Amino acid sequence: MFKTMKLSGRNFHGIIVIVFVMLSTSSTSAMTKFNVLNFGANPIGRTDSTDGFLKSWNAACSTADSTFIYVPKGRYLVGSLAFKGQCKSPQIIIRIDGTIVAPSDYGVLGKWENWVSFERVNGVSIIGQGAFDAKGPSLWACKASRSNSCPLGTTTLRFTNSNNITINELTSLNSQMFHIAINGCQNVQIQGVKIIAAGDSPNTDGIHVQLSTNVKIFNSSIKTGDDCISIGPGTKNLWIEQVTCGPGHGISIGSLAKDLEEDGVQNVTVKKTIFSDSQNGLRIKSWARPSSGFVQGVRFVDSVMRNVQNPIVIDQNYCPHNENCPGQVSGIKIKDIKYENIRGTSSTPIAIKFDCSPKNPCTEISLRNVNLTYLDKDAQSFCCNVMGKVFDLVRPNSCL
């Protein structure tokens, strides 16, 4: 049981730190502990520590007790790490206080789909003040040169077909492609992470979620070159709160309609977000082609836009760079989407854009207390194949 106490005096912060350390220590005191240094990992960063990390994982995974893997401060050079379940240990906490560093040659990792991956694990937590440094800029430069020799690139951290996952307070720097990907998972909490990449870095989505249920993303800062958070098919019960985005392409549901048979997206809440100098704010996007997919039960609440190109957008004719566009009609059915308490500034005249499918118009779209301006004057709305309602103040004047 916890009691709230009022403390005064100059030793207040010291008392809090002591209590926090005591709680943190007691929470791991009953665990079997492993230190990557004892398995050959090198904290200087000059020699390959891949084997030391894999041996640490294998030792923890094969232990029947709850386990704790510690990565002390330092720089650890590692190649592709694939951590496999199914483990005997019911809980594995990995505390990273150092920096995990990718090889300087982007080709070493670029041929792999993932840099650090977890598959079929349960009860894994990654915590600490450490970082993943994927050294992406050299690969981005290769892609910018349009050379045919560039590898596709690798996702920094991926969880696949896993349950009861926590990622807390880590930093991801300069990912080659996606920073964090959650695929086919249940009960995931991501909190306090920092994601950093250049605004022009290609395909560097901050957090990607698909085919997953009960995912929560809290109190995180994302600066990247693609979607800050991208939400793919099969996502259900997703809660996003207190996330800052920019630079980046916003928080996006999609892109959808990549495949003819596609799972839907439902029950998504995006709350108390801030977008700064981003390409988009709150976006739903689908390709203009047939698909069995859908989007429904989405709530966008309490968002601040600061100089955002497209603050509110539904785009069912999505085709980046207008290359290889399918030129058909989107089969994605979009309904029951609510925007409430959205305010701030657009960097373009059209602040609200609903460009929906002529075959499957967007329905049950609602705007409540929306106030978006352009250059200190009224912005504009654009609507095509959409039906909905407006409540209370909405600026710009809605075309619903």
Side-chain angles (χ1 to χ4, degrees), residues 107-166:
V108 175
L109 283 183
K111 62 185 178 182
W112 297 93
E113 182 180 2
N114 305 300
W115 181 20
V116 180
S117 63
F118 294 82
E119 185 174 359
R120 298 189 183 280
V121 300
N122 180 64
V124 171
S125 298
I126 303 178
I127 64 173
Q129 303 296 318
F132 293 95
D133 184 357
K135 296 188 176 295
S138 57
L139 177 59
W140 308 338
C142 180
K143 291 182 176 181
S145 71
R146 298 187 177 275
S147 170
N148 294 326
S149 64
C150 310
L152 184 62
T154 186
T155 292
T156 292
L157 176 63
R158 182 185 296 271
F159 280 88
T160 303
N161 298 330
S162 299
N163 301 325
N164 306 311
I165 305 302
T166 299

CSV table of all heavy atoms in Angstrom, one decimal, residues 107-166:
chain,number,residue,atom,x,y,z
A,107,GLY,N,26.1,-2.5,-44.8
A,107,GLY,CA,25.8,-3.8,-45.5
A,107,GLY,C,25.8,-5.0,-44.6
A,107,GLY,O,25.1,-6.0,-44.9
A,108,VAL,N,26.4,-4.9,-43.4
A,108,VAL,CA,26.5,-6.0,-42.5
A,108,VAL,C,25.1,-6.3,-41.9
A,108,VAL,O,24.6,-7.4,-41.9
A,108,VAL,CB,27.4,-5.7,-41.3
A,108,VAL,CG1,27.4,-6.8,-40.3
A,108,VAL,CG2,28.9,-5.6,-41.9
A,109,LEU,N,24.4,-5.2,-41.5
A,109,LEU,CA,23.0,-5.3,-41.0
A,109,LEU,C,21.9,-5.2,-42.1
A,109,LEU,O,20.9,-5.8,-42.0
A,109,LEU,CB,22.7,-4.3,-40.0
A,109,LEU,CG,23.3,-4.5,-38.6
A,109,LEU,CD1,22.8,-3.4,-37.7
A,109,LEU,CD2,22.9,-5.8,-38.0
A,110,GLY,N,22.3,-4.5,-43.2
A,110,GLY,CA,21.3,-4.2,-44.2
A,110,GLY,C,20.7,-5.4,-44.9
A,110,GLY,O,19.6,-5.3,-45.4
A,111,LYS,N,21.4,-6.5,-44.8
A,111,LYS,CA,20.8,-7.7,-45.5
A,111,LYS,C,19.9,-8.5,-44.6
A,111,LYS,O,19.2,-9.4,-45.0
A,111,LYS,CB,22.0,-8.6,-45.9
A,111,LYS,CG,22.8,-9.1,-44.7
A,111,LYS,CD,24.1,-9.9,-45.2
A,111,LYS,CE,24.9,-10.4,-44.0
A,111,LYS,NZ,26.1,-11.1,-44.4
A,112,TRP,N,19.8,-8.1,-43.3
A,112,TRP,CA,18.9,-8.7,-42.4
A,112,TRP,C,17.6,-7.9,-42.3
A,112,TRP,O,17.6,-6.7,-42.4
A,112,TRP,CB,19.5,-8.8,-41.0
A,112,TRP,CG,20.8,-9.7,-41.0
A,112,TRP,CD1,22.1,-9.3,-41.1
A,112,TRP,CD2,20.8,-11.1,-40.8
A,112,TRP,NE1,22.9,-10.3,-41.0
A,112,TRP,CE2,22.2,-11.5,-40.8
A,112,TRP,CE3,19.8,-12.1,-40.6
A,112,TRP,CZ2,22.6,-12.8,-40.6
A,112,TRP,CZ3,20.2,-13.4,-40.4
A,112,TRP,CH2,21.6,-13.7,-40.4
A,113,GLU,N,16.5,-8.6,-42.0
A,113,GLU,CA,15.2,-7.9,-41.8
A,113,GLU,C,15.2,-7.2,-40.5
A,113,GLU,O,14.6,-6.1,-40.4
A,113,GLU,CB,14.1,-8.9,-41.9
A,113,GLU,CG,12.7,-8.2,-41.7
A,113,GLU,CD,11.5,-9.2,-41.8
A,113,GLU,OE1,11.8,-10.4,-41.9
A,113,GLU,OE2,10.4,-8.8,-41.7
A,114,ASN,N,15.8,-7.7,-39.5
A,114,ASN,CA,15.8,-7.1,-38.1
A,114,ASN,C,17.2,-7.1,-37.6
A,114,ASN,O,18.1,-8.0,-37.8
A,114,ASN,CB,14.9,-8.0,-37.2
A,114,ASN,CG,13.5,-8.1,-37.7
A,114,ASN,OD1,12.8,-7.1,-38.0
A,114,ASN,ND2,13.1,-9.4,-38.0
A,115,TRP,N,17.5,-6.1,-36.8
A,115,TRP,CA,18.8,-6.0,-36.0
A,115,TRP,C,18.6,-6.8,-34.7
A,115,TRP,O,19.3,-7.7,-34.5
A,115,TRP,CB,19.1,-4.6,-35.8
A,115,TRP,CG,20.4,-4.4,-35.1
A,115,TRP,CD1,21.4,-5.3,-34.9
A,115,TRP,CD2,20.9,-3.2,-34.4
A,115,TRP,NE1,22.5,-4.7,-34.2
A,115,TRP,CE2,22.1,-3.5,-33.8
A,115,TRP,CE3,20.3,-1.9,-34.2
A,115,TRP,CZ2,22.8,-2.5,-33.1
A,115,TRP,CZ3,21.0,-1.0,-33.4
A,115,TRP,CH2,22.3,-1.3,-32.9
A,116,VAL,N,17.7,-6.4,-33.9
A,116,VAL,CA,17.4,-7.0,-32.6
A,116,VAL,C,16.0,-7.5,-32.6
A,116,VAL,O,15.1,-6.7,-32.7
A,116,VAL,CB,17.7,-6.1,-31.4
A,116,VAL,CG1,17.4,-6.8,-30.1
A,116,VAL,CG2,19.1,-5.5,-31.4
A,117,SER,N,15.8,-8.8,-32.6
A,117,SER,CA,14.4,-9.3,-32.7
A,117,SER,C,14.1,-10.4,-31.6
A,117,SER,O,15.0,-11.1,-31.1
A,117,SER,CB,14.2,-10.0,-34.1
A,117,SER,OG,15.1,-11.1,-34.2
A,118,PHE,N,12.8,-10.4,-31.2
A,118,PHE,CA,12.3,-11.3,-30.2
A,118,PHE,C,11.2,-12.0,-30.8
A,118,PHE,O,10.2,-11.4,-31.4
A,118,PHE,CB,11.9,-10.6,-28.9
A,118,PHE,CG,13.0,-10.0,-28.1
A,118,PHE,CD1,13.5,-8.7,-28.5
A,118,PHE,CD2,13.5,-10.6,-27.0
A,118,PHE,CE1,14.5,-8.1,-27.8
A,118,PHE,CE2,14.6,-10.0,-26.3
A,118,PHE,CZ,15.0,-8.8,-26.7
A,119,GLU,N,11.2,-13.3,-30.8
A,119,GLU,CA,10.1,-14.1,-31.4
A,119,GLU,C,9.6,-15.2,-30.5
A,119,GLU,O,10.3,-15.9,-29.8
A,119,GLU,CB,10.6,-14.8,-32.7
A,119,GLU,CG,9.5,-15.5,-33.5
A,119,GLU,CD,10.0,-16.0,-34.8
A,119,GLU,OE1,11.2,-15.8,-35.2
A,119,GLU,OE2,9.2,-16.7,-35.5
A,120,ARG,N,8.2,-15.2,-30.3
A,120,ARG,CA,7.5,-16.2,-29.5
A,120,ARG,C,8.1,-16.1,-28.0
A,120,ARG,O,8.4,-17.2,-27.4
A,120,ARG,CB,7.7,-17.6,-30.1
A,120,ARG,CG,7.0,-17.7,-31.4
A,120,ARG,CD,7.0,-19.1,-31.9
A,120,ARG,NE,6.4,-19.2,-33.3
A,120,ARG,CZ,5.1,-19.2,-33.5
A,120,ARG,NH1,4.2,-19.0,-32.5
A,120,ARG,NH2,4.7,-19.2,-34.8
A,121,VAL,N,8.1,-14.9,-27.5
A,121,VAL,CA,8.6,-14.8,-26.1
A,121,VAL,C,7.4,-14.3,-25.3
A,121,VAL,O,6.4,-13.7,-25.8
A,121,VAL,CB,9.8,-13.8,-25.9
A,121,VAL,CG1,11.0,-14.3,-26.7
A,121,VAL,CG2,9.4,-12.4,-26.4
A,122,ASN,N,7.4,-14.5,-24.0
A,122,ASN,CA,6.4,-14.0,-23.1
A,122,ASN,C,7.0,-13.4,-21.8
A,122,ASN,O,7.9,-14.0,-21.3
A,122,ASN,CB,5.5,-15.2,-22.7
A,122,ASN,CG,4.4,-14.8,-21.7
A,122,ASN,OD1,3.5,-14.1,-22.1
A,122,ASN,ND2,4.4,-15.3,-20.5
A,123,GLY,N,6.5,-12.3,-21.4
A,123,GLY,CA,6.9,-11.6,-20.2
A,123,GLY,C,8.3,-11.0,-20.3
A,123,GLY,O,9.0,-11.0,-19.3
A,124,VAL,N,8.7,-10.5,-21.4
A,124,VAL,CA,10.0,-9.8,-21.6
A,124,VAL,C,9.8,-8.3,-21.4
A,124,VAL,O,8.9,-7.7,-22.0
A,124,VAL,CB,10.6,-10.2,-23.0
A,124,VAL,CG1,11.8,-9.3,-23.2
A,124,VAL,CG2,10.9,-11.6,-23.0
A,125,SER,N,10.7,-7.7,-20.6
A,125,SER,CA,10.7,-6.3,-20.4
A,125,SER,C,12.1,-5.8,-20.8
A,125,SER,O,13.1,-6.3,-20.3
A,125,SER,CB,10.4,-5.9,-19.0
A,125,SER,OG,9.1,-6.3,-18.6
A,126,ILE,N,12.1,-4.7,-21.6
A,126,ILE,CA,13.4,-4.0,-21.9
A,126,ILE,C,13.3,-2.6,-21.2
A,126,ILE,O,12.4,-1.8,-21.6
A,126,ILE,CB,13.6,-3.9,-23.4
A,126,ILE,CG1,13.6,-5.3,-24.0
A,126,ILE,CG2,15.0,-3.2,-23.6
A,126,ILE,CD1,13.8,-5.2,-25.5
A,127,ILE,N,14.2,-2.4,-20.3
A,127,ILE,CA,14.1,-1.1,-19.5
A,127,ILE,C,15.5,-0.5,-19.5
A,127,ILE,O,16.5,-1.1,-19.9
A,127,ILE,CB,13.6,-1.4,-18.1
A,127,ILE,CG1,14.6,-2.3,-17.3
A,127,ILE,CG2,12.2,-2.0,-18.1
A,127,ILE,CD1,14.3,-2.4,-15.8
A,128,GLY,N,15.6,0.7,-18.9
A,128,GLY,CA,16.9,1.3,-18.7
A,128,GLY,C,17.1,2.6,-19.4
A,128,GLY,O,16.2,3.1,-20.2
A,129,GLN,N,18.3,3.2,-19.2
A,129,GLN,CA,18.6,4.5,-19.8
A,129,GLN,C,19.5,4.4,-21.1
A,129,GLN,O,20.0,5.4,-21.5
A,129,GLN,CB,19.3,5.4,-18.8
A,129,GLN,CG,18.5,5.6,-17.5
A,129,GLN,CD,17.2,6.3,-17.7
A,129,GLN,OE1,17.2,7.3,-18.5
A,129,GLN,NE2,16.1,5.9,-17.1
A,130,GLY,N,19.6,3.2,-21.6
A,130,GLY,CA,20.5,2.9,-22.7
A,130,GLY,C,19.9,3.3,-24.1
A,130,GLY,O,18.8,3.8,-24.2
A,131,ALA,N,20.6,2.9,-25.1
A,131,ALA,CA,20.2,3.3,-26.5
A,131,ALA,C,20.6,2.2,-27.5
A,131,ALA,O,21.5,1.4,-27.2
A,131,ALA,CB,20.8,4.6,-26.8
A,132,PHE,N,19.9,2.2,-28.6
A,132,PHE,CA,20.3,1.5,-29.8
A,132,PHE,C,20.7,2.5,-30.8
A,132,PHE,O,19.9,3.4,-31.2
A,132,PHE,CB,19.1,0.7,-30.4
A,132,PHE,CG,18.6,-0.5,-29.5
A,132,PHE,CD1,17.6,-0.3,-28.6
A,132,PHE,CD2,19.2,-1.7,-29.5
A,132,PHE,CE1,17.1,-1.3,-27.8
A,132,PHE,CE2,18.8,-2.7,-28.7
A,132,PHE,CZ,17.8,-2.5,-27.8
A,133,ASP,N,21.9,2.4,-31.3
A,133,ASP,CA,22.5,3.3,-32.4
A,133,ASP,C,22.7,2.5,-33.6
A,133,ASP,O,23.7,1.7,-33.7
A,133,ASP,CB,23.8,3.9,-31.9
A,133,ASP,CG,24.3,5.0,-32.9
A,133,ASP,OD1,23.7,5.1,-34.0
A,133,ASP,OD2,25.3,5.6,-32.6
A,134,ALA,N,21.8,2.6,-34.6
A,134,ALA,CA,21.9,1.7,-35.8
A,134,ALA,C,22.7,2.3,-36.9
A,134,ALA,O,22.9,1.7,-37.9
A,134,ALA,CB,20.4,1.5,-36.3
A,135,LYS,N,23.2,3.5,-36.7
A,135,LYS,CA,24.1,4.1,-37.7
A,135,LYS,C,23.5,4.2,-39.1
A,135,LYS,O,24.2,3.8,-40.1
A,135,LYS,CB,25.5,3.4,-37.7
A,135,LYS,CG,26.3,3.5,-36.4
A,135,LYS,CD,27.7,3.0,-36.5
A,135,LYS,CE,28.5,3.2,-35.2
A,135,LYS,NZ,28.7,4.7,-34.9
A,136,GLY,N,22.3,4.7,-39.1
A,136,GLY,CA,21.6,4.7,-40.4
A,136,GLY,C,22.0,5.7,-41.5
A,136,GLY,O,21.8,5.5,-42.7
A,137,PRO,N,22.6,6.9,-41.1
A,137,PRO,CA,22.8,7.9,-42.1
A,137,PRO,C,23.6,7.4,-43.4
A,137,PRO,O,23.3,7.9,-44.5
A,137,PRO,CB,23.6,9.0,-41.4
A,137,PRO,CG,23.1,8.9,-40.0
A,137,PRO,CD,22.9,7.4,-39.8
A,138,SER,N,24.6,6.6,-43.3
A,138,SER,CA,25.3,6.1,-44.5
A,138,SER,C,24.4,5.4,-45.4
A,138,SER,O,24.5,5.5,-46.6
A,138,SER,CB,26.5,5.3,-44.1
A,138,SER,OG,26.1,4.2,-43.3
A,139,LEU,N,23.5,4.6,-44.9
A,139,LEU,CA,22.5,3.9,-45.8
A,139,LEU,C,21.5,4.8,-46.4
A,139,LEU,O,21.2,4.7,-47.5
A,139,LEU,CB,21.8,2.8,-45.0
A,139,LEU,CG,20.7,2.0,-45.8
A,139,LEU,CD1,21.3,1.4,-47.0
A,139,LEU,CD2,20.0,1.0,-44.9
A,140,TRP,N,21.0,5.8,-45.6
A,140,TRP,CA,20.1,6.8,-46.1
A,140,TRP,C,20.8,7.6,-47.3
A,140,TRP,O,20.1,7.8,-48.3
A,140,TRP,CB,19.7,7.9,-45.1
A,140,TRP,CG,19.2,7.3,-43.8
A,140,TRP,CD1,18.7,6.1,-43.6
A,140,TRP,CD2,19.2,8.0,-42.5
A,140,TRP,NE1,18.3,5.9,-42.2
A,140,TRP,CE2,18.7,7.1,-41.6
A,140,TRP,CE3,19.6,9.2,-42.1
A,140,TRP,CZ2,18.5,7.4,-40.2
A,140,TRP,CZ3,19.5,9.6,-40.8
A,140,TRP,CH2,18.9,8.7,-39.8
A,141,ALA,N,22.1,7.9,-47.1
A,141,ALA,CA,22.8,8.6,-48.2
A,141,ALA,C,22.9,7.7,-49.5
A,141,ALA,O,22.8,8.2,-50.6
A,141,ALA,CB,24.2,9.0,-47.7
A,142,CYS,N,23.1,6.4,-49.3
A,142,CYS,CA,23.1,5.5,-50.4
A,142,CYS,C,21.8,5.5,-51.1
A,142,CYS,O,21.8,5.6,-52.4
A,142,CYS,CB,23.5,4.1,-49.9
A,142,CYS,SG,23.6,2.8,-51.2
A,143,LYS,N,20.7,5.4,-50.4
A,143,LYS,CA,19.4,5.5,-51.0
A,143,LYS,C,19.1,6.8,-51.7
A,143,LYS,O,18.5,6.8,-52.8
A,143,LYS,CB,18.3,5.2,-50.0
A,143,LYS,CG,18.3,3.8,-49.4
A,143,LYS,CD,17.2,3.5,-48.4
A,143,LYS,CE,17.2,2.1,-47.9
A,143,LYS,NZ,16.1,1.8,-46.9
A,144,ALA,N,19.6,7.9,-51.1
A,144,ALA,CA,19.4,9.2,-51.7
A,144,ALA,C,20.1,9.3,-53.1
A,144,ALA,O,19.7,10.1,-54.0
A,144,ALA,CB,19.8,10.3,-50.8
A,145,SER,N,21.2,8.6,-53.2
A,145,SER,CA,21.9,8.6,-54.5
A,145,SER,C,21.3,7.7,-55.6
A,145,SER,O,21.8,7.7,-56.7
A,145,SER,CB,23.4,8.1,-54.2
A,145,SER,OG,23.4,6.7,-54.0
A,146,ARG,N,20.2,7.0,-55.2
A,146,ARG,CA,19.5,6.1,-56.1
A,146,ARG,C,20.4,5.0,-56.7
A,146,ARG,O,20.1,4.6,-57.8
A,146,ARG,CB,18.8,7.0,-57.2
A,146,ARG,CG,17.8,7.9,-56.7
A,146,ARG,CD,17.1,8.6,-57.9
A,146,ARG,NE,16.0,9.5,-57.4
A,146,ARG,CZ,14.8,9.1,-57.1
A,146,ARG,NH1,14.4,7.9,-57.2
A,146,ARG,NH2,13.9,10.0,-56.7
A,147,SER,N,21.3,4.6,-55.9
A,147,SER,CA,22.2,3.5,-56.3
A,147,SER,C,21.4,2.2,-56.2
A,147,SER,O,20.6,2.0,-55.2
A,147,SER,CB,23.4,3.4,-55.4
A,147,SER,OG,24.1,2.2,-55.6
A,148,ASN,N,21.6,1.3,-57.1
A,148,ASN,CA,20.9,0.0,-57.1
A,148,ASN,C,21.6,-1.0,-56.1
A,148,ASN,O,21.1,-2.1,-55.9
A,148,ASN,CB,20.9,-0.6,-58.5
A,148,ASN,CG,20.0,0.2,-59.4
A,148,ASN,OD1,19.0,0.7,-59.1
A,148,ASN,ND2,20.4,0.2,-60.7
A,149,SER,N,22.7,-0.6,-55.6
A,149,SER,CA,23.4,-1.5,-54.7
A,149,SER,C,23.1,-1.4,-53.2
A,149,SER,O,23.6,-2.1,-52.4
A,149,SER,CB,24.9,-1.2,-54.9
A,149,SER,OG,25.3,0.1,-54.4
A,150,CYS,N,22.2,-0.5,-52.9
A,150,CYS,CA,21.8,-0.2,-51.5
A,150,CYS,C,20.9,-1.4,-51.0
A,150,CYS,O,19.9,-1.7,-51.6
A,150,CYS,CB,21.1,1.1,-51.3
A,150,CYS,SG,21.8,2.5,-52.1
A,151,PRO,N,21.2,-2.0,-49.8
A,151,PRO,CA,20.3,-2.9,-49.2
A,151,PRO,C,19.1,-2.2,-48.7
A,151,PRO,O,19.0,-1.0,-48.6
A,151,PRO,CB,21.1,-3.5,-48.1
A,151,PRO,CG,22.1,-2.5,-47.7
A,151,PRO,CD,22.4,-1.7,-49.0
A,152,LEU,N,18.0,-3.0,-48.5
A,152,LEU,CA,16.7,-2.4,-48.0
A,152,LEU,C,16.9,-1.8,-46.7
A,152,LEU,O,16.3,-0.7,-46.4
A,152,LEU,CB,15.7,-3.5,-48.0
A,152,LEU,CG,14.2,-3.1,-47.6
A,152,LEU,CD1,13.7,-2.1,-48.7
A,152,LEU,CD2,13.3,-4.3,-47.6
A,153,GLY,N,17.7,-2.4,-45.8
A,153,GLY,CA,17.8,-1.9,-44.5
A,153,GLY,C,17.1,-2.8,-43.4
A,153,GLY,O,16.3,-3.7,-43.8
A,154,THR,N,17.4,-2.6,-42.2
A,154,THR,CA,16.9,-3.4,-41.1
A,154,THR,C,16.1,-2.6,-40.1
A,154,THR,O,16.4,-1.5,-39.8
A,154,THR,CB,18.1,-4.1,-40.4
A,154,THR,OG1,17.6,-5.1,-39.5
A,154,THR,CG2,19.0,-3.1,-39.7
A,155,THR,N,15.1,-3.3,-39.5
A,155,THR,CA,14.4,-2.7,-38.4
A,155,THR,C,15.2,-2.9,-37.1
A,155,THR,O,15.8,-3.9,-36.8
A,155,THR,CB,13.0,-3.5,-38.2
A,155,THR,OG1,12.2,-3.1,-39.3
A,155,THR,CG2,12.3,-3.0,-36.9
A,156,THR,N,15.3,-1.8,-36.3
A,156,THR,CA,16.1,-1.9,-35.1
A,156,THR,C,15.7,-2.9,-34.1
A,156,THR,O,16.4,-3.7,-33.6
A,156,THR,CB,16.2,-0.5,-34.5
A,156,THR,OG1,17.0,0.4,-35.3
A,156,THR,CG2,17.0,-0.5,-33.1
A,157,LEU,N,14.4,-2.8,-33.7
A,157,LEU,CA,13.9,-3.7,-32.6
A,157,LEU,C,12.5,-4.2,-33.0
A,157,LEU,O,11.6,-3.4,-33.2
A,157,LEU,CB,13.8,-2.9,-31.3
A,157,LEU,CG,13.2,-3.6,-30.1
A,157,LEU,CD1,14.1,-4.8,-29.7
A,157,LEU,CD2,13.0,-2.7,-28.9
A,158,ARG,N,12.3,-5.5,-33.0
A,158,ARG,CA,11.1,-6.1,-33.4
A,158,ARG,C,10.6,-7.2,-32.5
A,158,ARG,O,11.5,-8.1,-32.1
A,158,ARG,CB,11.2,-6.7,-34.8
A,158,ARG,CG,9.8,-7.3,-35.3
A,158,ARG,CD,10.0,-8.0,-36.7
A,158,ARG,NE,10.4,-7.1,-37.7
A,158,ARG,CZ,9.5,-6.4,-38.5
A,158,ARG,NH1,8.2,-6.5,-38.3
A,158,ARG,NH2,10.0,-5.6,-39.4
A,159,PHE,N,9.4,-7.2,-32.1
A,159,PHE,CA,8.7,-8.3,-31.4
A,159,PHE,C,7.7,-8.9,-32.3
A,159,PHE,O,6.9,-8.3,-32.8
A,159,PHE,CB,8.1,-7.8,-30.1
A,159,PHE,CG,9.0,-7.5,-28.9
A,159,PHE,CD1,9.6,-6.3,-28.8
A,159,PHE,CD2,9.3,-8.5,-28.0
A,159,PHE,CE1,10.5,-6.1,-27.7
A,159,PHE,CE2,10.1,-8.3,-27.0
A,159,PHE,CZ,10.8,-7.1,-26.8
A,160,THR,N,7.8,-10.3,-32.4
A,160,THR,CA,6.9,-11.0,-33.3
A,160,THR,C,6.2,-12.2,-32.5
A,160,THR,O,6.9,-12.9,-31.7
A,160,THR,CB,7.6,-11.6,-34.5
A,160,THR,OG1,8.3,-10.5,-35.2
A,160,THR,CG2,6.7,-12.3,-35.4
A,161,ASN,N,4.9,-12.3,-32.6
A,161,ASN,CA,4.2,-13.4,-32.0
A,161,ASN,C,4.5,-13.5,-30.5
A,161,ASN,O,4.8,-14.6,-30.0
A,161,ASN,CB,4.4,-14.7,-32.7
A,161,ASN,CG,3.9,-14.6,-34.1
A,161,ASN,OD1,3.0,-13.9,-34.5
A,161,ASN,ND2,4.6,-15.3,-35.0
A,162,SER,N,4.5,-12.4,-29.8
A,162,SER,CA,4.9,-12.4,-28.4
A,162,SER,C,3.8,-11.8,-27.5
A,162,SER,O,3.0,-11.0,-28.0
A,162,SER,CB,6.2,-11.7,-28.2
A,162,SER,OG,7.3,-12.3,-29.0
A,163,ASN,N,3.9,-12.0,-26.2
A,163,ASN,CA,2.8,-11.6,-25.3
A,163,ASN,C,3.5,-10.9,-24.0
A,163,ASN,O,4.6,-11.3,-23.6
A,163,ASN,CB,1.9,-12.7,-24.8
A,163,ASN,CG,1.2,-13.4,-26.0
A,163,ASN,OD1,0.9,-12.7,-27.0
A,163,ASN,ND2,1.0,-14.7,-25.9
A,164,ASN,N,2.7,-10.0,-23.5
A,164,ASN,CA,3.1,-9.4,-22.2
A,164,ASN,C,4.5,-8.8,-22.3
A,164,ASN,O,5.5,-9.2,-21.6
A,164,ASN,CB,3.0,-10.4,-21.1
A,164,ASN,CG,1.7,-11.0,-21.0
A,164,ASN,OD1,0.6,-10.3,-21.0
A,164,ASN,ND2,1.6,-12.4,-21.0
A,165,ILE,N,4.6,-7.7,-23.1
A,165,ILE,CA,5.9,-7.1,-23.4
A,165,ILE,C,5.9,-5.7,-22.9
A,165,ILE,O,4.9,-5.0,-23.0
A,165,ILE,CB,6.2,-7.1,-25.0
A,165,ILE,CG1,6.1,-8.5,-25.5
A,165,ILE,CG2,7.5,-6.5,-25.3
A,165,ILE,CD1,7.0,-9.5,-24.9
A,166,THR,N,7.1,-5.3,-22.4
A,166,THR,CA,7.3,-3.9,-21.9
A,166,THR,C,8.5,-3.3,-22.5
A,166,THR,O,9.6,-4.0,-22.5
A,166,THR,CB,7.3,-3.8,-20.4
A,166,THR,OG1,6.1,-4.3,-19.8
A,166,THR,CG2,7.6,-2.4,-19.9
